[in-house]
Amino acid sequence: MCQDMIDQTSDASPAEPPRSGYAVIQDYVKTLDSSPGVYRMLDADSRVLYVGKARNLKARVSNYTRPGNSPRIERMIALTTSMMFLTTRTETEALLLEQNLIKQLKPKYNVLLRDDKSFPNILVSKDHAYPQIKKHRGARKEKGSYFGPFASAGAVNRTLNQLQKAFLLRNCSDAMFESRTRPCLQYQIKRCSAPCTGEISAEEYAASVRDAERFLSGRSTKIQEELAEQMMAASEAMEFERAAALRDRIKALTQVQTAQGINPRGVAEADVIGLHMEGGQACVQVFFIRANQNWGNQDFYPRVDADNSPAEVMEAFLGQFYSNKEPPRQLILSDDIENGDLMEQALSEKAGRRVEVMVPQRGEKTELVAGAVRNARESLARRMAESATQAKLLKGLAEAFGLDGPPNRIEVYDNSHIQGTHAVGGMIVAGPEGLMKNAYRKFNIKGDDLVPGDDFGMMKEVLNRRFSRLLKEDPDREKGLWPDLLLIDGGAGQVSAVAEIMAEHGVQDIPMVGVAKGVDRDHGKEEFHRLGENAFALQRNDPVLYFIQRLRDEAHRFAIGTHRAKRAKAMGATPLDEVAGVGASRKRALLAHFGSAKAVSRANLADLKAVDGISEALAERIYDHFHAQG
């Protein structure tokens, strides 16, 4: 991004009422030149309404001074009281900046990609003599070969499962590898060749790694042919056990290809993107094609307005989707975009190679796009049906609990611990579109003065932290972050305790309901508690009851999962984690040299200095850490 950006802002005089609409925009047009850049439209409370880019700022902003825009744009203009401008050197820089600002600011009148996330890859690590094959998500900082993206963690796990059967590569951590003295269960069930104990030579293991990389790079047919030849040779030599093993490897590779479904011959590396719009909603379906193989698909539901055109939605999706992902060599689209050349240039600069954006007219690519659009249409139909059902449930919930209206945000809280250890709190969120998983939150219980197993104390800490942050981040309740209903796991006592906590924060207008197990702690016999009211129950066949049960079970699942992850992490911890300057690689070096953390703590200074990668200063720090503790 350019370094010489200019930020122009204007504040209305506090003595004058803020002007808005066409007159305000016309004043800005007089001061603009023909530079490329990005503009922001703000309302009376300085909230960003819209972010747009322009090849020529003066010409683009002038368009807003002439009537005849769509109803959405007219509403936006009427609310605009000020504008901000950032000039850039090129229109490409303006496009990239625009999409970054949209993702950061989430303006009301922009097409917005929601629930954007990174996708998992398969990594064949290269920082060890015996490379590990594993799932990887996030920045590609680790040394090795990356293959992906895959559409979901499930797709990666299924592929890894079969690749382990086919190539017998290890998936254990380096620390586990170094500590083995005999093969683990993975070797026994023929999912690893046990390089940790020398069951396979370095050369043979390296050959397996190369075969795995060739398969993931699209040369699967050649590998299967080679394995078939080896199987026949082994059979002829009466090496029936080896022949059976090779047969199982071929079968595993075939299962990977079967699970991938359609594998296009003429498309080596592309994302196939189909868009369907209906009823003021949109679904974008993305198929990931890598090495002539289909690595799954994912659907997205960007926030759109009824008057957004397909070209506008598609362009916004591309800019936001690839702002934090490396684009493939081809983007095969169902709908053309207005600035195709500009998007190609921006994505090519980002990737450091040519990226082609195309809308096919015939052939195999057209069939791929048609399949993506069909999936988008079917996914949107299911979502709209689910939304209608969800709306009925929320309306029923409001009637059952005497709320003013259907809640837009329900927060459900639960705690998990084992006799007070590794205690965590979990918050799940639901709304008109179902579970809002990007809004889930985990809370590590930090209270040192809590009695083990004190659920009241844990809940108090969670809610104190939650609402202290809400009061700081959104005191005016304008960002949609405040709940309309709290569901608490517990009875009248828990509800009273929560009410006291909320009152301490000056929050007494949010309805809360305690969900108690009821007679025999049985599903269907739940009792509901509201502050100052008698407990009541719902009919066993009431859909609202099933809905509440699902929410409570989801909160319980989320809290338990968080607790288990925290407990597993603690079980893998060693005293070395407390030594400043000892990261993962140095920890591995120390454990490999001494065999255990206890042995490290007993080592003398000279022995510590002899470890590869441990400097004299760090050796002294490690020695002082353990001996200062006695």
Side-chain angles (χ1 to χ4, degrees), residues 51-69:
V51 175
K53 68 175 182 311
R55 178 181 303 166
N56 180 323
L57 279 171
K58 188 178 186 72
R60 181 72 185 90
V61 177
S62 294
N63 291 336
Y64 294 108
T65 64
R66 295 186 285 271
N69 294 290

Side-chain angles (χ1 to χ4, degrees), residues 35 49 109 127 244 264 284 288 303 320-321 359 480 492 526 541 555 564 569:
S35 301
L49 298 169
Y109 288 93
D127 57 356
V284 178
F288 303 102
R303 187 190 70 194
Q320 294 171 49
F321 185 70
V359 180
E526 284 84 357
N541 61 351
R564 286 175 177 166
K569 184 176 180 180

Side-chain angles (χ1 to χ4, degrees), residues 174-230:
D174 290 349
M176 177 70 73
F177 181 94
E178 303 295 347
S179 66
R180 297 300 305 181
T181 57
R182 58 177 179 167
C184 68
L185 181 61
Q186 292 291 313
Y187 176 75
Q188 305 297 333
I189 62 175
K190 299 180 181 179
R191 299 240 179 137
C192 180
S193 51
C196 54
T197 56
E199 307 301 320
I200 184 174
S201 69
E203 293 76 15
E204 290 177 303
Y205 190 84
S208 295
V209 170
R210 286 194 297 272
D211 284 345
E213 291 179 322
R214 287 168 61 203
F215 180 84
L216 290 167
S217 298
R219 286 168 281 186
S220 54
T221 304
K222 182 67 174 175
I223 293 172
Q224 285 170 297
E225 289 174 355
E226 292 173 358
L227 290 175
E229 291 174 3
Q230 294 174 29

Side-chain angles (χ1 to χ4, degrees), residues 139-330:
R140 298 185 175 189
K141 295 181 179 179
E142 193 170 342
K143 185 179 178 182
S145 299
Y146 292 85
F147 302 91
F150 286 77
S152 65
V156 171
N157 291 337
R158 287 191 296 272
T159 302
L160 280 175
N161 184 40
Q162 298 302 328
L163 289 178
Q164 283 180 259
K165 293 179 182 178
F167 301 109
L168 308 181
L169 302 184
R170 72 179 183 95
N171 67 350
C172 60
S173 67
D174 290 349
M176 177 70 73
F177 181 94
E178 303 295 347
S179 66
R180 297 300 305 181
T181 57
R182 58 177 179 167
C184 68
L185 181 61
Q186 292 291 313
Y187 176 75
Q188 305 297 333
I189 62 175
K190 299 180 181 179
R191 299 240 179 137
C192 180
S193 51
C196 54
T197 56
E199 307 301 320
I200 184 174
S201 69
E203 293 76 15
E204 290 177 303
Y205 190 84
S208 295
V209 170
R210 286 194 297 272
D211 284 345
E213 291 179 322
R214 287 168 61 203
F215 180 84
L216 290 167
S217 298
R219 286 168 281 186
S220 54
T221 304
K222 182 67 174 175
I223 293 172
Q224 285 170 297
E225 289 174 355
E226 292 173 358
L227 290 175
E229 291 174 3
Q230 294 174 29
M231 182 180 69
M232 292 298 294
S235 180
E236 290 173 2
M238 297 190 190
E239 297 176 0
F240 299 118
E241 187 173 345
R242 172 172 165 75
L246 289 166
R247 179 203 61 204
D248 292 342
R249 295 176 69 177
I250 295 170
K251 183 179 178 181
L253 294 181
T254 303
Q255 287 178 335
V256 173
Q257 293 169 319
T258 302
Q260 290 168 344
I262 299 172
N263 293 316
R265 295 182 179 181
V267 180
E269 181 183 325
D271 285 350
V272 181
I273 304 175
L275 167 67
H276 180 73
M277 299 180 66
E278 183 180 340
Q281 299 186 53
C283 177
V284 178
Q285 191 83 206
V286 183
F287 280 77
F288 303 102
I289 308 296
R290 299 295 185 273
N292 296 96
Q293 301 173 70
N294 176 11
W295 284 353
N297 62 297
Q298 186 67 260
D299 49 5
F300 301 89
Y301 301 91
R303 187 190 70 194
V304 300
D305 201 272
D307 60 4
N308 285 129
S309 67
E312 187 179 359
V313 174
M314 182 65 80
E315 182 169 323
F317 176 83
L318 295 181
Q320 294 171 49
F321 185 70
Y322 293 108
S323 65
N324 63 346
K325 301 175 185 67
E326 182 176 335
R329 297 185 183 279
Q330 281 189 327

Side-chain angles (χ1 to χ4, degrees), residues 21-22 25-26 28-30 32 39 41 50 53-70 73-74 76-77 83 85 338:
Y22 291 108
I25 298 173
Q26 286 170 347
Y28 281 104
V29 171
K30 297 173 185 176
L32 292 173
Y39 59 93
M41 308 177 87
Y50 184 79
K53 68 175 182 311
R55 178 181 303 166
N56 180 323
L57 279 171
K58 188 178 186 72
R60 181 72 185 90
V61 177
S62 294
N63 291 336
Y64 294 108
T65 64
R66 295 186 285 271
N69 294 290
S70 68
I73 299 300
E74 291 290 342
M76 179 183 74
I77 290 172
M83 296 185 72
F85 303 90
E338 293 181 4

Side-chain angles (χ1 to χ4, degrees), residues 544-564:
V544 173
L545 176 61
Y546 298 145
F547 178 52
I548 295 169
Q549 289 171 348
R550 289 202 307 272
L551 292 180
R552 184 193 59 198
D553 292 346
E554 172 67 3
H556 193 53
R557 179 204 65 78
F558 182 64
I560 286 178
T562 303
H563 166 73
R564 286 175 177 166

